[in-house]
Amino acid sequence: MIRTNRIFPNNQAQDQKIAGIFENINKDFLNLLKNDLLKPKPLLVCSGGTSSRCAAEGHWTLDLRGNYQKVEFNKATQEITIEAGVNMQQLLEKALTFNRSFPIGLSGKTGIGYILTGGISPLSRKYGLAIDNILELSGVWGNGEHFRLLKPNNDTNTQDKLKWKGLCGAAPFLAIVTSIRLKTYKLKPIYAWETSLSPSQLAEIILMAENWSNSASLYWVWGNKIKVYGVYELDNLEDFDNYKRLINEIPKSNDFISYKVDNISEIGNLLSSNIINKPFDTQHSEVVGLLGPKLNNRIDLMIRHIEKAIKVRPSEYSYISCQQLGGATIKKGIDLSSFIHRDSIWKPWITGSWNSADIQGRESSIKWIEESWEGLKSFFPGIHLAQLHPHLNWHSKEIKTAFKMWLPELKELKSNYDPKGILPPL
Ligand SMILES: Cc1cc2nc3c(=O)[nH]c(=O)nc-3n(C[C@H](O)[C@H](O)[C@H](O)COP(=O)(O)OP(=O)(O)OC[C@H]3O[C@@H](n4cnc5c(N)ncnc54)[C@H](O)[C@@H]3O)c2cc1C
């Protein structure tokens, strides 16, 4: 069935005059894919609808939120299977019912786009990226053929390994994933803290965080001020002393608070005090996510670059944030995913924002993102493709930087499994 009315959480997606919406992957829909009848291409896919690229002017969207809502927990294996319309909050709530957890990101509103594009969680330093926790994937390739793949082992043939690698981190270019089976983890106590810091204090805490245990992770956002957040998952009761020691050592200001959260989804509420979650219906934005290794003695220089970028940001809703990886994200799944920048321990992202009616403001913001990216490139040479930008002139640069040496093989996969370019271009 085709619908034209819809509500996407992303303002920019919501404001597009789209061709229409498909809600089912049925025989008719598959026929359109197989016979290349869908015009214009690419088809856009919406799971959580939080990115600007789940709907675009004049294009069709396959919206999976209505009809792909199944979520099942297997008590024997402690694994969870979700369909593609289930968001991260729903996934976590199901796991919590069984005293289990999953490394979701900073927002429970994101859909499986979060998992498929990598999935960096405040718990990733312990449990890996979301893609590292996938056990099974099902869906439909861009060529209309169904697939079901299990996480490769030593007996898996090379082609299936390549397909898996492509889907874990680059699925939006190859396939429509309809169902994912995932590992879960024992629910453990989590503490969080937040404080405002000066640029030199931020430099100080970044240096400390580069040597923290995998139980701790740092997140900061630099907009009107610098707000810093920390998350610490306790392994056992004795670990609380380690948390207290960390808290004593870090720089802080008068607004410092520390508290226990019931689960990782409450971390998203940490953001409520800054601009990210405020419902600016008229505000559009684009985001570019960078990746980089330990900064060591280059932290001060990096901070000066960000300070310079923030001074010239085009709007007060434009900002630069950063979350921490490392630990398990470095060791796990190197050959099994398209997330190739495994040496990364920082993911800064640059958000350029403008009023939806302000065409000049859009141009300035896009230019600011590009210039800020250029300024930070030597510190953070990789790209995390959590958002796609085929509509912007940096798309090709972004793709090359995200996939590097893996790109030729990824393109070959695309020519086999999405030969007509039904899905976004690589
Ligand atoms: C408030 C907020 C907080 C965030 N925090 C984090 C974080 O902590 N860590 C992190 O890693 N990222 C984070 N992100 C980024 C987010 O995970 C990505 O933008 C992700 O792609 C969003 O997925 P979605 O399903 O919600 O979005 P959608 O807009 O529905 O989809 C995003 C992209 O994925 C593709 N896609 C969606 N569903 C499918 C499918 N079923 N099969 C194939 N392709 C599909 C689409 O083509 C689209 O281009 C955050 C985003 C927001 C808005």
Side-chain angles (χ1 to χ4, degrees):
M1 191 214 287
I2 299 171
R3 263 200 313 122
T4 48
N5 63 317
R6 78 290 172 194
I7 297 177
F8 299 112
N10 183 285
N11 291 343
Q12 200 167 320
Q14 176 62 19
D15 288 346
Q16 306 298 309
K17 290 187 191 70
I18 64 172
I21 291 194
F22 295 95
E23 292 192 298
N24 281 303
I25 303 176
N26 54 21
K27 221 170 113 219
D28 291 344
F29 178 78
L30 290 175
N31 205 28
L32 291 175
L33 300 193
K34 285 179 181 166
N35 297 304
D36 196 14
L37 297 174
L38 198 78
K39 300 281 158 39
K41 293 184 279 190
L43 166 73
L44 301 175
V45 181
C46 173
S47 281
T50 61
S51 83
S52 69
R53 216 47 200 173
C54 60
E57 199 74 19
H59 285 255
W60 295 91
T61 285
L62 172 66
D63 187 350
L64 298 164
R65 290 173 298 166
N67 294 321
Y68 294 82
Q69 277 293 327
K70 224 184 266 167
V71 47
E72 281 171 357
F73 185 84
N74 182 324
K75 278 192 204 166
T77 59
Q78 307 210 305
E79 293 160 7
I80 199 159
T81 304
I82 58 164
E83 286 191 330
V86 171
N87 70 25
M88 294 305 102
Q89 181 71 32
Q90 292 169 285
L91 156 64
L92 189 72
E93 274 168 17
K94 186 70 167 187
L96 290 172
T97 320
F98 298 91
N99 231 14
R100 305 288 292 177
S101 177
F102 183 80
I104 69 163
L106 296 166
S107 166
K109 289 181 191 152
T110 55
I112 70 160
Y114 163 76
I115 299 177
L116 296 172
T117 57
I120 302 169
S121 166
L123 301 182
S124 283
R125 288 162 55 73
K126 250 188 182 172
Y127 305 121
L129 300 170
I131 38 171
D132 300 331
N133 292 291
I134 304 180
L135 299 169
E136 182 178 342
L137 286 163
S138 308
V140 172
W141 296 110
N143 64 14
E145 297 298 331
H146 284 278
F147 65 84
R148 174 177 167 261
L149 286 169
L150 298 178
K151 184 167 188 157
N153 58 29
N154 290 341
D155 299 330
T156 309
N157 67 51
T158 308
Q159 191 59 18
D160 280 355
K161 278 187 186 154
L162 285 173
K163 289 188 218 169
W164 184 269
K165 182 167 172 171
L167 290 172
C168 291
F173 304 102
L174 303 172
I176 301 157
V177 173
T178 52
S179 171
I180 306 188
R181 181 160 58 88
L182 298 158
K183 247 179 168 168
T184 64
Y185 293 91
K186 187 173 180 291
L187 183 63
K188 291 182 181 172
I190 298 177
Y191 284 81
W193 52 266
E194 55 182 273
T195 187
S196 304
L197 294 183
S198 67
S200 63
Q201 287 175 312
L202 178 63
E204 200 185 330
I205 203 164
I206 288 174
L207 184 61
M208 286 179 170
E210 292 197 341
N211 296 301
W212 281 348
S213 78
N214 294 343
S215 297
S217 89
L218 185 74
Y219 159 74
W220 51 263
V221 52
W222 192 332
N224 293 331
K225 57 181 179 178
I226 303 172
K227 197 78 201 271
V228 180
Y229 304 86
V231 174
Y232 195 106
E233 191 193 71
L234 263 50
D235 277 323
N236 46 49
L237 284 180
E238 294 82 71
D239 213 8
F240 187 63
D241 289 338
N242 296 328
Y243 174 64
K244 279 200 300 196
R245 207 167 304 126
L246 184 149
I247 289 297
N248 284 337
E249 283 168 2
I250 57 173
K252 32 182 121 46
S253 54
N254 292 338
D255 64 357
F256 174 85
I257 46 169
S258 157
Y259 41 88
K260 188 171 186 289
V261 294
D262 283 339
N263 59 68
I264 187 70
S265 80
E266 286 180 27
I267 303 298
N269 298 333
L270 293 176
L271 306 180
S272 58
S273 53
N274 67 49
I275 53 178
I276 297 176
N277 273 355
K278 290 204 179 134
F280 294 115
D281 290 348
T282 55
Q283 214 62 26
H284 285 185
S285 59
E286 293 289 1
V287 182
V288 67
L290 315 184
L291 287 167
K294 265 193 176 188
L295 291 158
N296 294 318
N297 59 2
R298 300 180 74 214
I299 298 174
D300 288 331
L301 190 59
M302 185 278 291
I303 292 282
R304 283 205 290 281
H305 271 85
I306 296 194
E307 202 164 15
K308 218 165 97 189
I310 293 295
K311 270 195 188 130
V312 297
R313 69 195 166 130
S315 84
E316 64 168 319
Y317 307 125
S318 298
Y319 53 92
I320 298 179
S321 316
C322 188
Q323 65 190 132
Q324 193 179 2
L325 312 80
T329 68
I330 292 178
K331 293 184 200 110
K332 283 192 176 189
I334 295 170
D335 299 324
L336 288 181
S337 84
S338 296
F339 191 102
I340 58 150
H341 299 283
R342 289 285 176 168
D343 62 339
S344 302
I345 84 150
W346 297 112
K347 179 205 165 178
W349 68 96
I350 307 163
T351 303
S353 191
W354 62 93
N355 186 289
S356 57
D358 182 2
I359 295 167
Q360 183 56 45
R362 178 182 183 276
E363 271 173 33
S364 311
S365 282
I366 303 283
K367 192 160 167 264
W368 177 74
I369 295 177
E370 272 191 287
E371 285 169 357
S372 306
W373 174 9
E374 193 57 35
L376 291 173
K377 206 170 65 180
S378 70
F379 306 98
F380 309 107
I383 280 284
H384 175 212
L385 261 195
Q387 290 84 9
L388 309 188
H389 306 104
H391 54 303
L392 297 177
N393 62 11
W394 72 58
H395 178 65
S396 153
K397 183 167 99 178
E398 193 174 40
I399 298 279
K400 280 188 196 135
T401 315
F403 300 120
K404 296 262 174 188
M405 307 293 278
W406 163 236
L407 185 58
E409 278 179 283
L410 195 53
K411 283 190 170 173
E412 206 175 312
L413 274 180
K414 185 156 176 87
S415 69
N416 286 332
Y417 297 103
D418 183 29
K420 305 271 194 312
I422 306 282
L423 295 164
L426 256 182

